Amino acid sequence: MKTILISDSAALGIMEVRPEPAWRVRLTGLRNKDLLAPDYGAMHVAAFLKASGRRIHVANLIADVHDSAALFTEPNTKPDELSGSGIAKHESAHASRRYLFDTLADIDPDVILVTLSTYNLALYTRSLLGEIKTACPGATLVTGGIYSTMHPEEILADGHADVVIRGEGELTASELLDRLAGGRDLDGLKGVSYRQGAQAYHNARRSPIANLDALPHPYTVSDEFNISTRFNILSELLPEGDWIPGAGFLTSRGCPEGCSFCLDPAINGRRARFHSPAYVREVLEFCADRFSGGAGAFFFGDAAFTLNKKRLARMLETLKGLPYTYQIQTRADYLDTPTIERLAANGFTNVAIGAETFNEDILRTVVRKRLEVRDVLKAARAVSRAGMKPILTFIIGLPGETRESVMRTLEILRENGLYDATFFPLVVFKGTALFDEFKARVTPEEMENLRLNPSSEEFISVSDEFPRAQELMDFTEQVNTELLSSRPTALP
């Protein structure tokens, strides 16, 4: 049975849809990461299938086609100017598209796996599934990922995908391929939705994987996903970056909290599971040996890296002697003084903290965070005193918040010398509590007009304070500009 996994489909969407403002010069660094960073969820699945003895061909729509840093180098300099790079040219998108369909024609696969995780371009990928099905009508077309987990009904109703994998894909994908190879039906296979003709079936959910250490790590499929090419290009373009290796490595899965803007409660059921420190060491040693060309920063993408203090202490011991500095994200209430001191003493440089708002009432009743503003400020100041950089993130447009309260948040940041912060407009998506609140107060027609872009399944959340989407976007840009312009010039 010939199986192919299509990698970089979301990146192809960036090239073909060209959503604003992704191709502006000011976003060159972020855009190049989005184009070249691998799909770590797909890597986890491919690693498990490989370890199980299955041969999977991986088609990397960007990394296999565009392998020169010169293509991604930005010649233009004005921040709001459109990119003049080679990768921005329509010919580059055409080359990736041609590679996709030429590869499908050459392999003539029996099974095609396509990740559909990203909400920002979900409608594009759903359309692409239709093109793939037309090119390979006899193949079983399978999709999975975060978006797929939350939207199996809509995907199957499109009539393109045959199977949707919901939740973690490693075990489900393996059992699915077993059944397809043996000509067996999918009745009772946990974690899948599938269609037979016009009828859709949604099997019982699969329980989350309890022993994460039993899974092979994603970098065991580095060759299949052309990680070296991605690494070399980003290493040349962003020598101080946190891109690879590790930009997508999670030392845990899940978070016990229930923030109203976050999908994690729906995906992981407010439960956290952990890799052992020894497993984490194994991954980092593998990357240090394989990718030695200047990769100095390793980013742990856990939702709350410092949640388990005992495990953290053991992990910090196992990291000694590795050629990395480390960047993390976590919650303020998981950062006490001993934890901060340990992080600073073991090569950690940046600590991202989701602050969301400094409006106490909204933080508690709307965001549903079980902490106070003083907790965030205390943690951020302590991180700074320890010699690390606290990076705070905020949301503008939360229900009940006003321009005045946002500007007060800005004042508090300045008063505390916290200038490494970014404000984002509130966008909502299915699976979050804030989406349910948003959907209840807008008409379907209004909702359609509030898509972040025409291919997005993220929606800009308007309110009495920001009745038009553009007002919210413009005010968010204004706040970010004011904070940046007020930053003392002596700060790094």
Side-chain angles (χ1 to χ4, degrees):
M1 187 173 71
K2 294 178 290 185
T3 303
I4 184 171
L5 188 154
I6 307 301
S7 168
D8 299 338
S9 58
L12 179 60
I14 294 173
M15 297 173 71
E16 294 198 324
V17 176
R18 303 179 71 81
E20 281 287 356
W23 289 93
R24 300 293 171 178
V25 169
R26 69 178 184 272
L27 293 177
T28 296
L30 180 60
R31 179 179 64 250
N32 285 339
K33 289 182 185 181
D34 288 342
L35 291 172
L36 287 163
D39 185 328
Y40 289 95
M43 288 178 69
H44 277 282
V45 171
F48 189 84
L49 296 177
K50 180 180 180 179
S52 302
R54 293 176 177 82
R55 292 189 61 186
I56 305 292
H57 180 92
V58 179
N60 300 287
L61 306 186
I62 306 301
D64 290 350
V65 182
H66 309 291
D67 58 359
S68 168
L71 275 172
F72 297 85
T73 301
E74 181 56 66
N76 295 340
T77 57
K78 296 179 180 178
D80 286 323
E81 190 176 5
L82 285 171
S83 173
S85 63
I87 200 65
K89 298 183 183 303
H90 292 292
E91 292 82 359
S92 294
H94 294 332
S96 288
R97 170 172 282 271
R98 187 166 55 250
Y99 175 71
L100 166 61
F101 290 100
D102 285 351
T103 302
L104 290 174
D106 290 342
I107 293 177
D108 188 22
D110 300 296
V111 180
I112 304 170
L113 308 175
V114 182
T115 302
L116 207 179
S117 270
T118 307
Y119 274 73
N120 188 36
L121 293 169
L123 297 184
Y124 166 84
T125 306
R126 283 167 58 179
S127 176
L128 184 64
L129 290 175
E131 297 182 66
I132 293 172
K133 189 64 174 179
T134 299
C136 302
T140 299
L141 182 56
V142 182
T143 189
I146 294 174
Y147 177 86
S148 299
T149 296
M150 303 306 301
H151 294 262
E153 297 90 351
E154 296 96 317
I155 294 170
L156 292 177
D158 290 340
H160 311 316
D162 299 294
V163 184
V164 176
I165 293 177
R166 310 189 319 268
E168 294 171 332
E170 293 95 337
L171 299 177
T172 307
S174 179
E175 293 180 21
L176 171 64
L177 293 183
D178 280 346
R179 293 209 183 191
L180 294 176
R184 298 154 56 203
D185 65 38
L186 305 185
D187 183 40
L189 176 58
K190 291 184 177 180
V192 303
S193 296
Y194 63 100
R195 64 184 179 92
Q196 291 180 341
Q199 182 66 45
Y201 300 89
H202 304 281
N203 291 352
R205 69 186 295 270
R206 182 181 293 272
S207 298
I209 298 168
N211 180 14
L212 295 183
D213 280 6
L215 302 174
H217 68 74
Y219 292 102
T220 59
V221 288
S222 294
D223 292 339
E224 290 85 344
F225 283 81
N226 211 343
I227 298 300
S228 290
T229 294
R230 303 171 192 268
F231 172 85
N232 290 335
I233 293 174
L234 287 171
S235 179
E236 181 174 340
L237 297 176
L238 305 166
E240 303 301 323
D242 61 2
W243 16 268
I244 190 83
F249 177 62
L250 306 178
T251 75
S252 64
R253 296 183 184 183
C255 173
E257 304 297 337
C259 299
S260 60
F261 61 87
C262 184
L263 264 178
D264 202 88
I267 296 294
N268 288 298
R270 299 184 67 174
R271 178 182 172 219
R273 293 157 291 142
F274 304 92
H275 282 295
S276 68
Y279 184 99
V280 176
R281 172 79 191 200
E282 177 187 344
V283 175
L284 270 66
E285 284 184 338
F286 182 96
C287 291
D289 292 340
R290 179 68 71 92
F291 310 110
S292 57
F298 205 104
F299 176 67
F300 294 118
D302 306 46
F305 182 77
T306 57
L307 168 63
N308 187 323
K309 299 295 192 300
K310 291 182 178 179
R311 169 181 171 269
L312 177 64
R314 295 195 304 272
M315 190 188 308
L316 294 182
E317 285 299 313
T318 69
L319 296 182
K320 293 183 184 300
L322 291 165
Y324 297 118
T325 58
Y326 304 98
Q327 306 180 26
I328 62 167
Q329 58 187 13
T330 192
R331 286 173 55 103
D333 46 346
Y334 297 157
L335 284 170
D336 55 26
T337 299
T339 297
I340 292 171
E341 291 175 350
R342 289 193 191 100
L343 293 173
N346 284 278
F348 286 72
T349 58
N350 292 359
V351 179
I353 302 170
E356 322 320 341
T357 178
F358 281 163
N359 182 310
E360 201 82 62
D361 181 60
I362 291 174
L363 188 63
R364 182 177 61 257
T365 61
V366 176
V367 180
R368 302 179 188 173
K369 276 205 166 180
R370 300 179 301 152
L371 74 167
E372 299 179 352
V373 171
R374 64 183 180 185
D375 298 325
V376 178
L377 292 173
K378 179 181 178 182
R381 288 193 299 259
V383 167
S384 182
R385 285 195 303 270
M388 298 180 291
K389 180 186 291 186
I391 302 172
L392 305 183
T393 56
F394 294 87
I395 301 172
I396 295 180
L398 291 163
E401 189 155 47
T402 64
R403 286 172 170 81
E404 288 73 21
S405 64
V406 173
M407 298 310 291
R408 177 56 188 151
T409 292
L410 198 59
E411 291 176 12
I412 294 172
L413 287 172
R414 291 168 175 154
E415 291 167 0
N416 286 271
L418 300 171
Y419 294 93
D420 289 297
T422 302
F423 291 79
F424 297 93
L426 175 61
V427 295
V428 295
F429 32 84
K430 182 179 177 180
T432 66
L434 285 181
F435 176 83
D436 295 338
E437 184 272 340
F438 163 80
K439 189 176 180 181
R441 60 181 169 81
V442 300
T443 66
E445 293 77 15
E446 290 171 331
M447 188 171 169
E448 189 64 31
N449 292 327
L450 291 170
R451 292 186 185 275
L452 192 59
N453 66 63
S455 294
S456 181
E457 286 273 70
E458 294 177 311
F459 300 89
I460 302 170
S461 184
V462 294
S463 61
D464 290 340
E465 183 70 13
F466 300 101
R468 294 188 305 110
Q470 197 58 49
E471 283 185 56
L472 176 58
M473 305 293 279
D474 290 345
F475 182 69
T476 302
E477 183 174 355
Q478 173 193 332
V479 171
N480 282 316
T481 300
E482 287 193 24
L483 180 62
L484 183 63
S485 63
S486 65
R487 181 188 180 95
T489 55
L491 288 178

